[in-house]
Amino acid sequence: MNTVMSKYKTSGVKGPGDNGKSEERKGQIVVRYRCNQPGTIQDVLRQRQNWVEVNDDEQWDFSWSDVAWLREIFDQVYLQEHVRMNHFRNYYELTRKNLMVKNLKHHQKNLKRDAGRTEMMCDFFPPTFSLPSEYHLFVEEFNRNSGSTWIMKPAARSQGKGIFLFRKLKDVMDWKKDSSRHSEEQGEEAQVENYVAQRYIAKPYLINGRKFDLRVYVLVTSYDPLKAWLYRDGFARFSCTRFSLSSIDDMYVHLTNVSVQKTAPDYDPKKGCKWSIQQLRRYLTAKHGKATVETLFQKMDTIFIHSLLSVRKVIINDKRCFELYGYDILLDHNLKPWLIEVNASPSHSPSSQEDYEMKCNMLDDTLNVVDMEGRLTGKEKRVGGYDLMWDDGPVFQEDVGPQTFGSSCLNTNTNLGCINDREKQLRQMPSRGSCNHRMHE
């Protein structure tokens, strides 16, 4: 065995007696897995029938790990064809804010060059600039829209860290000076942290006077060809404080991240700050009508599809990899959805028993789609709570005829916010272990 494999000498590699497939025990496939992330995903993995946890130095078939560990694996270990991992090598092309916008802008230009698709412009993300590299372009746009509110975000951080709002260019100039001074103090090798400056959605859709955004789960099992699934469940995250632009320094007003809101003085852990997407869809339907809400959710489908298409040729495809994305979508006062960011490692930490059960089911269904056991035929349009959204082209509902991909809204095979009768659907599959719905301590 090659010496470069010494740190992970048998992890996912072929060893004596290893036929390159999951172990078989009494006629049943046994999946050997490793996981270095505690919490809900561990609960789900441990409850799956014939899945066995192994140590780092043992052979494994499936790995759910953080991106740092996987980067080492890709570079140091020869991986067998049958293994599966929960990230693509350059997953960050869609999940780092500056790279996401770069790829979306490139995709937008390609669409503009295609005369047959001019109506499909990627107008679902606000004007955004990568700093410090696009500082002068940002200044031009800022001066054209005097009085606008902007939001500054670190390109590679999460949970609301390092974010601030501003209306004066002086605030950005001060930030730029501070960054340059910090870099000089650290020496020549220190790099200025990348940020994005994005025009703030100043008129968000409010419920009971509070701002919210949506967390939606998209599973990609291949980029070449692109194959993507949309989960029916998700949630809306609310701020605890009524929305106002009178104070742009109060992050409890402007950031809906649970990690931020749970530190608010008026946060009530019993009430939490979430609605299920089903609850939100019912609310919007009652207020605006079914047709309006159908159009809204079709526009969100367009966001998911075009964001994935923007990185389809950039992501290094590997049939051993899959990616579970957490999309953050904001609605404005006209019910227009905006893509805020995409997360490569969406939090699985539950904020309530209901939240735990939703995430537990979603992760269990993710494993069902990945299908280590080989139960699926490959022609399924639904597995548990997942609906197949794209399979080398749009997947349409069976009762709807083919449509032209050039339309701005696609009536695809998705049911976000609809009834999730996953247990009924899964009963059609061979028996398997299910998650024990008890909150992880």
Side-chain angles (χ1 to χ4, degrees):
M1 194 170 294
N2 196 316
T3 56
V4 299
M5 303 180 190
S6 58
K7 187 174 181 180
Y8 309 103
K9 59 183 180 180
T10 59
S11 298
V13 301
K14 188 173 182 179
D18 186 5
N19 60 4
K21 296 181 180 179
S22 301
E23 176 187 350
E24 291 191 11
R25 182 183 299 171
K26 294 183 180 180
Q28 294 181 321
I29 292 178
V30 175
V31 179
R32 302 161 296 189
Y33 75 88
R34 70 170 309 283
C35 177
N36 67 359
Q37 296 184 339
T40 310
I41 182 59
Q42 277 282 14
D43 294 348
V44 173
L45 288 166
R46 288 169 179 166
Q47 290 293 331
R48 286 186 71 86
Q49 186 176 357
N50 296 321
W51 283 54
V52 179
E53 187 171 10
V54 297
N55 298 322
D56 285 352
D57 59 351
E58 296 181 279
Q59 293 174 351
W60 52 268
D61 309 302
F62 180 91
S63 176
W64 192 293
S65 306
D66 57 49
V67 294
W69 185 85
L70 287 175
R71 278 197 295 268
E72 292 187 69
I73 281 294
F74 276 121
D75 295 333
Q76 297 191 34
V77 173
Y78 172 74
L79 298 166
Q80 285 293 311
E81 293 294 308
H82 76 285
V83 304
R84 294 293 179 268
M85 299 170 289
N86 63 315
H87 290 292
F88 288 90
R89 180 184 287 265
N90 58 336
Y91 65 92
Y92 46 78
E93 290 287 348
L94 185 59
T95 58
R96 286 185 188 166
K97 300 173 185 68
N98 56 336
L99 296 181
M100 180 190 78
V101 172
K102 181 197 73 173
N103 289 314
L104 284 172
K105 287 180 178 179
H106 181 70
H107 183 59
Q108 187 178 53
K109 289 180 181 179
N110 289 339
L111 292 178
K112 286 181 179 180
R113 284 198 298 263
D114 188 342
R117 297 182 180 178
T118 53
E119 70 275 26
M120 288 193 343
M121 298 304 102
C122 297
D123 63 345
F124 50 75
F125 61 99
T128 308
F129 300 90
S130 180
L131 301 183
S133 61
E134 295 183 328
Y135 179 75
H136 295 294
L137 293 174
F138 157 70
V139 171
E140 291 179 9
E141 181 69 19
F142 184 91
N143 291 331
R144 280 196 295 266
N145 297 271
S146 61
S148 296
T149 303
W150 290 74
I151 185 168
M152 189 82 84
K153 306 176 185 178
R157 290 200 239 174
S158 60
Q159 298 183 331
K161 297 173 183 176
I163 293 178
F164 63 92
L165 275 64
F166 63 94
R167 293 196 185 106
K168 298 177 181 179
L169 197 57
K170 181 181 181 301
D171 295 335
V172 182
M173 296 174 69
D174 291 343
W175 163 83
K176 190 179 179 187
K177 290 178 182 177
D178 290 342
S179 298
S180 299
R181 183 168 59 252
H182 178 72
S183 179
E184 292 174 359
E185 291 173 353
Q186 295 298 317
E188 293 182 358
E189 294 183 359
Q191 295 182 353
V192 177
E193 182 176 10
N194 289 317
Y195 272 67
V196 294
Q198 187 174 80
R199 191 185 301 166
Y200 188 64
I201 305 298
K203 294 183 178 180
Y205 189 95
L206 304 178
I207 295 180
N208 297 327
R210 290 170 172 79
K211 179 182 174 180
F212 66 93
D213 68 359
L214 281 65
R215 166 57 58 86
V216 182
Y217 297 100
V218 173
L219 173 64
V220 176
T221 52
S222 172
Y223 268 104
D224 186 18
L226 179 62
K227 189 168 186 177
W229 304 74
L230 180 66
Y231 202 65
R232 295 188 174 194
D233 287 346
F235 49 87
R237 304 176 297 189
F238 286 81
S239 64
C240 295
T241 308
R242 295 179 67 86
F243 182 79
S244 171
L245 278 176
S246 60
S247 173
I248 62 173
D249 297 324
D250 189 345
M251 292 297 102
Y252 296 129
V253 172
H254 302 289
L255 300 185
T256 59
N257 310 61
V258 175
S259 56
V260 173
Q261 291 299 322
K262 67 182 182 182
T263 64
D266 53 350
Y267 177 74
D268 185 346
K270 293 182 180 180
K271 294 181 179 179
C273 51
K274 291 182 180 179
W275 278 11
S276 69
I277 286 190
Q278 286 87 346
Q279 184 179 359
L280 177 66
R281 185 161 187 157
R282 288 194 299 268
Y283 174 90
L284 294 175
T285 300
K287 191 167 184 179
H288 301 282
K290 183 178 179 180
T292 299
V293 175
E294 286 286 350
T295 299
L296 164 63
F297 278 75
Q298 288 174 14
K299 288 180 179 179
M300 283 195 282
D301 287 347
T302 301
I303 292 177
F304 307 138
I305 289 171
H306 278 288
S307 60
L308 295 175
L309 288 175
S310 74
V311 297
R312 179 172 58 92
K313 295 181 179 180
V314 179
I315 296 289
I316 300 171
N317 189 63
D318 189 326
K319 67 179 184 180
R320 295 166 297 193
C321 302
F322 65 93
E323 198 81 47
L324 175 62
Y325 293 112
Y327 274 74
D328 292 345
I329 306 292
L330 179 70
L331 308 183
D332 69 15
H333 67 298
N334 292 320
L335 281 183
K336 175 182 171 63
W338 296 88
L339 175 60
I340 302 304
E341 63 181 80
V342 184
N343 298 272
S345 300
S347 173
H348 305 142
S349 300
S351 57
S352 66
Q353 180 64 30
E354 181 182 9
D355 190 40
Y356 174 77
E357 292 178 2
M358 187 280 291
K359 289 178 177 175
C360 187
N361 291 336
M362 182 270 298
L363 291 169
D364 196 33
D365 286 342
T366 298
L367 302 180
N368 291 332
V369 172
V370 174
D371 190 30
M372 292 296 297
E373 299 89 345
R375 295 192 182 103
L376 305 182
T377 66
K379 297 181 180 179
E380 289 81 3
K381 295 176 69 172
R382 184 184 177 193
V383 176
Y386 277 107
D387 295 300
L388 184 59
M389 176 172 56
W390 189 273
D391 189 7
D392 202 18
V395 179
F396 299 110
Q397 296 179 8
E398 294 182 357
D399 58 346
V400 177
Q403 303 164 73
T404 303
F405 181 53
S407 60
S408 59
C409 294
L410 294 173
N411 192 2
T412 55
N413 178 51
T414 58
N415 296 276
L416 179 62
C418 298
I419 294 175
N420 186 5
D421 54 343
R422 60 180 297 273
E423 289 295 338
K424 178 181 178 181
Q425 198 279 335
L426 289 172
R427 281 196 293 269
Q428 301 171 13
M429 297 176 60
S431 62
R432 56 177 178 76
S434 60
C435 183
N436 180 15
H437 295 310
R438 191 173 70 186
M439 179 74 81
H440 176 81
E441 297 297 336

